[in-house]
Amino acid sequence: EIVMTQSPATLSVSPGERATLSCRASQSVSSNLAWYQQKPGQAPRLLIYDASTRAPGIPARFSGSGSGTEFTLTISSLQSEDFAVYYCQQYNDWPPITFGQGTRLEIK
Amino acid sequence: EVQLVESGGGLVQPGGSLRLSCSVSGFIFNSYGMNWVRQAPGKGLEWVSFISFSGRSMYYADSVKGRFTISRDNAKNSLYLQMHSLRAEDTAVYYCTRDPDGYNFDWGQGTLVTVSS
């Protein structure tokens, strides 16, 4: 089973600043990596798939990069609605599909 | 508009059974694989099960293998999860998701399953 590790667990950033979230896989997942955003009381929402492709309707301030075992989600200029929990998920070697434990992005 | 609507959650005693349903609209259901993903209270996301577009292939997390069964009825645009021998650790919100290629493109709002005496 591929283990996904996200860092940091909590990230404090001011509105308007850049946020950089990391996700590491225990073995290569190629570019088969997705990112999700989850706000309190809501279902997760797909942001990025194939490591760098934005899902329909996702603002351009969200970008994904990386391949192999190291991945990054960057939010270029944080808006108030971006403060949420973010999860990465690999789908290169499954079952099982595996998620990271999440990064909570909070207002500084 | 794509919609996935889960139902069937509730309170059940340990060892009991429950059947979740997911009614789908807004896309060609029989063209997509589907997942169940769950989230225990205050915890992260856990994949539970996958079924292929045809229903011929099913996969399960080790934590539910032998207790849960995923199925689908393409004529009814519906996905199901039959859960037996429920444990306290199965308590979670269960989401159904559309899976175009291994990731979860669309999500339902979830249904809460509580296993408690």
Side-chain angles (χ1 to χ4, degrees):
Chain A
E1 172 179 327
I2 296 178
V3 177
M4 307 302 293
T5 303
Q6 293 185 240
S7 61
T10 303
L11 182 61
S12 299
V13 182
S14 300
E17 293 190 340
R18 174 188 295 252
T20 302
L21 289 68
S22 296
C23 175
R24 173 177 292 178
S26 60
Q27 63 190 74
S28 176
V29 298
S30 186
S31 295
N32 297 310
L33 191 285
W35 289 95
Y36 303 88
Q37 176 194 66
Q38 187 178 32
K39 297 179 182 180
Q42 296 185 16
R45 175 176 70 148
L46 177 68
L47 298 175
I48 302 285
Y49 62 96
D50 293 347
S52 61
T53 302
R54 272 190 305 276
I58 300 303
R61 64 181 182 272
F62 291 90
S63 63
S65 62
S67 66
T69 61
E70 301 283 344
F71 300 88
T72 300
L73 175 69
T74 302
I75 311 171
S76 60
S77 177
L78 279 165
Q79 307 297 303
S80 58
E81 61 266 30
D82 299 335
F83 293 95
V85 178
Y86 292 83
Y87 295 94
C88 62
Q89 176 230 315
Q90 71 81 22
Y91 48 98
N92 186 68
D93 183 12
W94 66 279
I97 291 167
T98 49
F99 292 90
Q101 80 281 13
T103 289
R104 181 177 304 277
L105 181 57
E106 63 177 29
I107 301 174
K108 187 174 182 179
Chain B
E1 180 192 5
V2 171
Q3 284 196 313
L4 300 90
V5 180
E6 302 93 338
S7 60
L11 175 63
V12 60
Q13 292 189 338
S17 299
L18 213 54
R19 188 195 195 209
L20 306 183
S21 299
C22 174
S23 179
V24 162
S25 61
F27 64 91
I28 302 173
F29 182 64
N30 62 16
S31 293
Y32 291 92
M34 299 290 293
N35 288 306
W36 287 98
V37 176
R38 68 184 180 183
Q39 186 170 38
K43 302 298 184 183
L45 301 170
E46 180 189 17
W47 170 77
V48 173
S49 184
F50 166 86
I51 188 167
S52 63
F53 67 94
S54 64
R56 292 197 187 100
S57 297
M58 294 87 78
Y59 303 105
Y60 299 92
D62 286 345
S63 58
V64 307
K65 202 172 293 182
R67 300 187 298 123
F68 290 10
T69 301
I70 192 171
S71 63
R72 65 191 296 160
D73 185 335
N74 285 344
K76 294 184 177 179
N77 283 2
S78 292
L79 176 72
Y80 306 101
L81 187 68
Q82 179 69 54
M83 304 185 293
H84 294 297
S85 303
L86 283 161
R87 307 166 179 167
E89 54 265 35
D90 296 318
T91 294
V93 174
Y94 285 73
Y95 298 100
C96 66
T97 77
R98 174 165 66 130
D99 179 342
D101 196 18
Y103 48 92
N104 299 281
F105 198 93
D106 297 294
W107 297 65
Q109 87 289 349
T111 188
L112 176 62
V113 173
T114 303
V115 184
S116 175
S117 55

